[in-house]
Amino acid sequence: MRETIRAINGLKKESLIEDYAIGGGIAAIFYIEPFLTYDLDVFVIPTQKEKEGSVILLTPIFDYFRNMGYSFKGEHIVIEGVPVQFIPADELEEEAVRNGKQIEYEGVETKVLPPEYLVAILLRAGRKKDIAKVESLLQQAKVNRKRLKDILRRYGLSDKLNNL
Amino acid sequence: MRRDKDIGIVIQGKRIITREDLFKAKERFHKEQAKLPFEEKIRIVVELQKIANNIRKPSERPGIVWDIDK
């Protein structure tokens, strides 16, 4: 996965995206015990020029990896043996990416979404498997409750946590 | 009155633990797993992917097993 991350970092170096952070199951696994998952979710903040009105263009990302010879599997790009899904960040996710936790994977720098934002994103998704991850994060990770409450309040998600 | 959580369970030799101890140990184990290095956790994910593929029905499409050594 080291080379996968290195390849994704290339997007930022080539100014094809403004920033990115790992989200989804793999970000959760950074904080909690491992579980079965098959893809690497990457939340991206596209550059201003890739935002055309209500349309966000991910084509430069896809073209970049296609030119590097990587294959596609559904919505995933298989980068160095790992299926990666690129998700353009909405408002909450963009804030999460900007506040991403800087980490290293086998010496390669990357960012993961902070646990408070992961909880918020998972609560918003609200499927059973998302709620199970929220419960694990609250039990096993160091979640700053004050920060979490603030995020949930600002994005109208407080009731979702209260109703758990 | 004796509560269920206080009922003793013999696990090894003469060692007796309660149901509550058992669940606390389980919780401790999950917390310990959560503290593993990220790289080690990813290796576990790959092992889980292999196990999931092995127990899949022949009619089901296998999930991709990550090649993380790259």
Side-chain angles (χ1 to χ4, degrees):
Chain A
M1 196 167 87
R2 182 184 61 247
E3 294 309 315
T4 310
I5 295 170
R6 219 192 285 274
I8 296 167
N9 285 345
L11 292 172
K12 223 176 140 180
K13 279 192 192 131
E14 298 292 329
S15 301
L16 293 171
I17 57 167
E18 198 185 311
D19 203 357
Y20 86 90
I22 295 170
I26 293 299
I29 286 169
F30 179 78
Y31 302 103
I32 63 177
E33 67 179 327
F35 54 83
L36 180 63
T37 184
Y38 286 102
D39 59 0
L40 177 66
D41 289 337
V42 172
F43 288 90
V44 295
I45 304 176
T47 56
Q48 206 53 44
K49 65 178 180 167
E50 307 307 343
K51 293 177 191 168
E52 287 183 2
S54 58
V55 179
I56 296 165
L57 300 174
L58 287 185
T59 38
I61 296 176
F62 281 67
D63 290 344
Y64 176 75
F65 288 116
R66 187 180 287 113
N67 291 336
M68 289 175 83
Y70 294 119
S71 62
F72 291 72
K73 203 175 178 197
E75 301 87 39
H76 296 86
I77 308 173
V78 184
I79 304 171
E80 300 292 341
V82 176
V84 182
Q85 181 155 39
F86 290 96
I87 302 160
D90 63 15
E91 196 185 347
L92 167 61
E93 293 153 357
E94 185 169 327
E95 188 182 312
V97 171
R98 293 193 194 283
N99 287 288
K101 184 180 169 68
Q102 201 77 42
I103 64 158
E104 273 191 14
Y105 182 90
E106 293 181 350
V108 181
E109 285 195 358
T110 185
K111 281 206 296 189
V112 290
L113 298 187
E116 297 81 10
Y117 284 95
L118 272 176
V119 169
I121 292 165
L122 289 163
L123 279 174
R124 187 177 61 177
R127 297 165 300 179
K128 276 184 184 166
K129 64 176 193 173
D130 300 316
I131 301 304
K133 286 183 197 121
V134 168
E135 284 171 352
S136 296
L137 279 162
L138 294 176
Q139 284 168 11
Q140 298 167 21
K142 282 180 187 157
V143 176
N144 181 324
R145 301 294 170 131
K146 197 177 162 197
R147 190 184 191 196
L148 173 62
K149 273 186 181 175
D150 172 61
I151 297 164
L152 296 179
R153 182 187 51 75
R154 287 188 291 108
Y155 287 93
L157 297 165
S158 301
D159 284 350
K160 299 224 176 201
L161 183 67
N162 299 336
N163 294 337
L164 278 187
Chain B
M1 197 176 84
R2 192 173 68 175
R3 295 170 298 175
D4 277 354
K5 71 185 181 84
D6 299 323
I7 294 173
I9 303 167
V10 177
I11 54 166
Q12 272 179 53
K14 289 178 181 172
R15 191 170 159 227
I16 297 174
I17 60 165
T18 63
R19 279 172 58 86
E20 196 178 19
D21 292 335
L22 209 59
F23 290 120
K24 274 187 184 163
K26 209 186 262 283
E27 204 179 307
R28 259 199 314 275
F29 171 75
H30 292 310
K31 283 187 178 166
E32 289 304 316
Q33 290 285 100
K35 285 183 199 160
L36 290 173
F38 191 34
E39 287 86 347
E40 179 60 26
K41 290 179 179 181
I42 297 298
R43 277 190 281 276
I44 293 171
V45 170
V46 174
E47 289 307 312
L48 291 172
Q49 290 169 348
K50 288 178 191 168
I51 292 166
N53 275 355
N54 285 338
I55 59 174
R56 215 173 279 275
K57 290 179 196 155
S59 58
E60 289 175 328
R61 214 171 52 176
I64 191 166
V65 174
W66 294 9
D67 182 2
I68 53 161
D69 292 327
K70 284 184 177 178

